[in-house]
Amino acid sequence: MKYFVLGSTYVIRLDAGERIVETVKSLCERDAIGGGYFYGLGAVGEAEIGHFDPGSNAYSWTRMPGPSEIVSLYGNITTVDGKPFIHAHIALGDRAFAVRGGHLKDAVVSASCEITLVRFRDDIGRKKDAATGLMRLALEPGED
Amino acid sequence: MKYFVLGSTYVIRLDAGERIVETVKSLCERDAIGGGYFYGLGAVGEAEIGHFDPGSNAYSWTRMPGPSEIVSLYGNITTVDGKPFIHAHIALGDRAFAVRGGHLKDAVVSASCEITLVRFRDDIGRKKDAATGLMRLALEPGED
Amino acid sequence: MKYFVLGSTYVIRLDAGERIVETVKSLCERDAIGGGYFYGLGAVGEAEIGHFDPGSNAYSWTRMPGPSEIVSLYGNITTVDGKPFIHAHIALGDRAFAVRGGHLKDAVVSASCEITLVRFRDDIGRKKDAATGLMRLALEPGED
């Protein structure tokens, strides 16, 4: 990973073999980024994405072997127990240009991945929602 | 809906049962946001999306029952007759991770929807385009 | 193309017949924008998109006749040899709401295309990567 900082914006390049979620998280840990969002494009090999079923409050997962284009990638940065937490969704396109997508668990960069990340001055916390088990944005007074 | 304001950026959480377009619009009305853009992710139940046919200058619509992941969501905020107007497109992923998408008319949040909204200081107007009947961005002098 | 500038943000409208990549590039050339990113929505007719195969280090291409909704569009702006360079990925939805996507080579606006572009004060360069032949973000000291 290489990056360039312009005010509150990071321009980030991930190279072949780097994992998107893990790498963005490690940058946030290093620079103490506890709130923000990011977008990206590029190409990945193996990826794992999920779909949430509100009936069972559980994710189902699939692995895609790639090679895939990152057709879209958007995520936000928050904190859980004071540590950076990445929540991102992705759309991936295959050789036939068909697109599959969902909640991004993990994806390994093949050629390159280019990300624009905007950091906030403040941290945004998450707190476990009792009903669904999901880590929900803590935006109410006293919630984070 | 809960939200947190950081300068010109809103971090917004929509909860189960809330409608995305209607809720963002009501926030814009309350805070007098007449220009801006937003991104989101999360999960929805029933949604209605459209496809514009420039041949007939008409939208065709479909309803998707969900549950769907919001694979991507991007919209802009403008004004029509002085009132906030939301224009958003969405990609939705089903259980099999297949993605369908188009112009977002309406979508009901199932688990959660997390939005980052950036507001402008200025309003951006729209004006009806005589040829297509669409509400076009009014960016020419004297057009809004 | 019409646009409105708010600080470092451009709100841009492309009209029927305008080409997305070429038009954004010409705006960047005119206003000397050498770093930034953009998002968009709208509708296009004919489009050409690519998929990169890291095995052969080559793109395969397809033409889509449209009419298509721009389900998502994200790109970044950099410079190559001092001139603006556009790198964008797109998801396009057809009449049946099926989504195909990849690297955007070219797309002709049908009804309208609405873009939010954020420019950086600094330029971000690219440099050819010997291994893949791709123009890689030059973020290392002395690389741009």
Side-chain angles (χ1 to χ4, degrees), chain C residues 1-125:
Chain C
M1 180 194 53
K2 304 290 174 190
Y3 64 94
F4 186 74
V5 186
L6 307 104
S8 58
T9 304
Y10 286 64
V11 178
I12 305 164
R13 185 190 87 206
L14 278 67
D15 294 323
E18 292 187 298
R19 292 174 182 277
I20 294 177
V21 175
E22 183 183 294
T23 307
V24 172
K25 191 177 176 187
S26 71
L27 171 63
C28 293
E29 282 169 354
R30 199 172 67 179
D31 279 17
I33 302 172
Y37 55 94
F38 61 95
Y39 313 92
L41 48 68
V44 297
E46 197 180 20
E48 187 170 6
I49 60 175
H51 180 274
F52 185 73
D53 178 5
S56 60
N57 283 326
Y59 278 97
S60 55
W61 302 98
T62 193
R63 283 182 182 274
M64 298 168 63
S68 303
E69 291 287 305
I70 301 172
V71 171
S72 68
L73 169 63
Y74 166 70
N76 61 38
I77 301 156
T78 51
T79 59
V80 172
D81 298 330
K83 290 191 174 177
F85 180 93
I86 308 299
H87 184 197
H89 283 200
I90 198 165
L92 295 170
D94 67 17
R95 283 171 215 273
F97 304 96
V99 174
R100 300 178 81 200
H103 177 100
L104 176 62
K105 187 174 190 177
D106 188 27
V108 182
V109 174
S110 56
S112 190
C113 174
E114 301 173 0
I115 289 176
T116 313
L117 184 157
V118 177
R119 72 177 293 174
F120 300 144
R121 279 170 313 170
D122 298 89
D123 288 5
I124 305 287

Side-chain angles (χ1 to χ4, degrees), chain B residues 37 39 49-54 60-62 72 74 76 87-91 99-103 120 122 124 126 134 136-137 139-140 143, chain C residues 2-4 6-7 9 11-13 15 39-42 67-72 93-99 110-112 114-116 118:
Chain B
Y37 55 95
Y39 313 92
I49 60 175
H51 181 274
F52 185 74
D53 177 6
S60 55
W61 301 98
T62 193
S72 69
Y74 166 70
N76 60 38
H87 184 198
H89 283 199
I90 198 166
V99 174
R100 300 177 80 200
H103 177 100
F120 300 143
D122 298 89
I124 305 287
R126 284 185 187 272
L134 295 172
R136 204 165 64 159
L137 288 179
L139 300 175
E140 292 172 278
E143 204 183 23
Chain C
K2 304 290 174 190
Y3 64 94
F4 186 74
L6 307 104
T9 304
V11 178
I12 305 164
R13 185 190 87 206
D15 294 323
Y39 313 92
L41 48 68
S68 303
E69 291 287 305
I70 301 172
V71 171
S72 68
D94 67 17
R95 283 171 215 273
F97 304 96
V99 174
S110 56
S112 190
E114 301 173 0
I115 289 176
T116 313
V118 177

